[in-house]
Amino acid sequence: MEQEIKGLTPWEKVQVSRHPQRPLTIDYIENLFEDFVELHGDRLYGDDPALIGGIGIFKGQGVVIIGHNKGKNVKENVSRNFGMPHPEGYRKALRLMRLAERWHLPVISFIDTPGAYPGIGAEERGQAEAIGRNILEAFEIRSPIIVVVIGEGGSGGALGIGVGDRILMLENAIYSVISPEGCAAIIWKDSKQAERAASALKLTAQDLLRFNIIDEIIPEPPGGAHNDINATIKAVEESIARNLEIICNKDIDSLLEERYQKVRKIGIFEENLVPKAGVEPARSPSST
Amino acid sequence: MHISDWFSRKPKYAVLKPEKKEIPEGLWTRCPKCLEILYNKELERNLKVCSRCGYHFKLGAWERIYQIVDNHEFSELDENLESVDALPFNDGIYLDKLKESKEKTGLNEAIVTGKGKVESFDVFLGVFDFGFIGGSMASVVGEKVTRLFEYGARDRLPVIIVTATGGARMYEGMLSLMQMAKTNAALSRYRRSGGLFISVLSDPSTAGVMASFASQGDVIIAEPGALIGFAGPRVIEQTIKQKLPEGFQSSEFVFQHGMVDIVVERSKLKSTIGRIIRIWNKRLKG
């Protein structure tokens, strides 16, 4: 594979994306936004420290910020549940996206989670419903949305705040339908085969750009973001600023249409229109 | 020889397992819940529900379709969509899996979609088959669900989807995950067209499909005793390192927590769907 010659292997990227010194959502918030005001709570049940939300100013522009946040050490990780949100985290994010819509503020969403939390309370309070609703309503939010995958994009837990007009991804970040360990445990009954699963799953930024699932790769310093946090944050800033200018200058209806059409096209399959011998041709009405 | 082998108890003589009462194949089925032996014809007549304990057996996609539509009339749509090994995923194991599932179920994919009538009302109906790679959603399933919502919006007809799924299919990687976004984008448009989407959750309905359109029905109906949730019970147990209480994530559990509208026995599923459509049909025009 090209990226294996040029840079890190998929499994190495998995490690780098989870590196304990890798910049977190909170680092981007502190460095990129003036006057950040954190807003708490979903107004339904509680506040989720695994998902940060708030408002701030990005290069003179008011914005709403949402993002998963892991901890910098064990203690912080425990209090932030390792960046794994409960339903109230997703509901807080949706509340803030609706606020962005009312105030005409763009949304900037940072993705960095192993996944939505699989626990008793999360199930009782409707984890699936919360994520499903966010994904659905994100297509209706009449504000520009930029998504930046900064570390781990853990499946539905990532996608719950992952729908937008521009999906940017750091060079060594990963985004996957299942963790390589989970995948290996299912296929080879052995989580030690995770390295094999990591390359099979095509979870790197380079792969996802090829599948048109993301729009842009943000370069990282040699060895990974943790080697030069300031340079990484600068690169993210540049990319957000450039993309934000483009999408904020579009009329909101065409932006929503583009948001829809981009996702509508995702999927690879064959549509076999030639009838099989002796079988009636399929009468499929034309779509849309 | 490893030291631990000295302590493991090895039987001196081969132990013959007590002979099980052989159930002649094709005639009888044992209920996995109450262990009652059920006569197959009787079981079919009872819509594959155990007459003793009410256990709802899993249904194949076509069995379900024929239980729901009028006069066994159903015109399948988009059956010509074929999955491909798009990533490709590690040495063709996905292609093997597809081939095996096609042979086992006789289906082309994990969902059958089409048009039929329920209690005389035209509907678009999609039914998952858990036997096809765990009823998982990848590019083809996502596309078929998306088109179903598009047909529903175009023809102003109800959309009914019966799920039996373990979520997004890992063999298509992120293409599968993004089907959650695609189907929900289509559902959003269908909703704005004023459509009626009935989500029927059968055993099991979890993960990526639940965290997309299946949890967003205008009306959500669950079959009794189904496993419904986001994470699978094993994943939760491994995470929290404790055993889950009996009945956790059952239909009755999610009903108590406000996640579904109605828990409906299989024998009343069709009439319940019919009643909801009848009311929706009596809406103000314009």
Side-chain angles (χ1 to χ4, degrees), chain B residues 5-143:
Chain B
D5 291 352
W6 299 351
F7 301 101
S8 67
R9 281 195 289 162
K10 284 226 180 85
K12 260 189 178 168
Y13 309 99
V15 179
L16 288 174
K17 281 186 187 147
E19 236 174 278
K20 266 194 205 152
K21 258 191 233 163
E22 281 298 311
I23 305 174
E25 218 167 289
L27 265 179
W28 305 89
T29 301
R30 195 191 288 271
C31 172
K33 201 176 161 206
C34 73
L35 306 180
E36 178 83 348
I37 293 172
L38 304 159
Y39 187 42
N40 277 351
K41 275 193 181 155
E42 191 67 38
L43 188 59
E44 300 279 328
R45 217 172 302 137
N46 209 21
L47 306 173
K48 284 212 164 176
V49 175
C50 173
S51 51
R52 183 161 170 234
C53 72
Y55 173 78
H56 284 53
F57 284 79
K58 286 189 178 69
L59 295 178
W62 284 101
E63 287 179 308
R64 173 76 69 180
I65 290 165
Y66 289 142
Q67 285 190 12
I68 292 180
V69 299
D70 298 348
N71 311 317
H72 283 207
E73 282 169 19
F74 186 75
S75 46
E76 191 179 353
L77 296 164
D78 301 314
E79 72 268 44
N80 52 339
L81 301 192
E82 291 269 356
S83 291
V84 296
D85 192 6
L87 297 184
F89 191 98
N90 199 280
D91 306 333
I93 55 177
Y94 181 33
L95 294 175
D96 296 344
K97 206 80 186 159
L98 283 169
K99 191 162 164 269
E100 182 193 308
S101 285
K102 284 180 186 180
E103 281 165 10
K104 190 174 83 180
T105 59
L107 301 175
N108 220 10
E109 252 302 333
I111 191 172
V112 177
T113 58
K115 196 177 168 184
K117 282 184 197 295
V118 178
E119 308 235 308
S120 311
F121 298 112
D122 283 320
V123 300
F124 286 104
L125 172 65
V127 177
F128 279 76
D129 195 307
F130 193 71
F132 198 104
I133 320 186
S136 55
M137 175 163 72
S139 296
V140 168
V141 171
E143 181 70 19

Side-chain angles (χ1 to χ4, degrees), chain B residues 247-271:
Chain B
F248 187 73
Q249 297 182 305
S250 65
S251 304
E252 297 71 19
F253 171 92
V254 291
F255 176 78
Q256 271 175 16
H257 286 90
M259 298 302 154
V260 303
D261 290 286
I262 331 169
V263 180
V264 175
E265 281 167 39
R266 196 167 282 167
S267 59
K268 298 204 176 84
L269 181 59
K270 179 174 173 156
S271 60

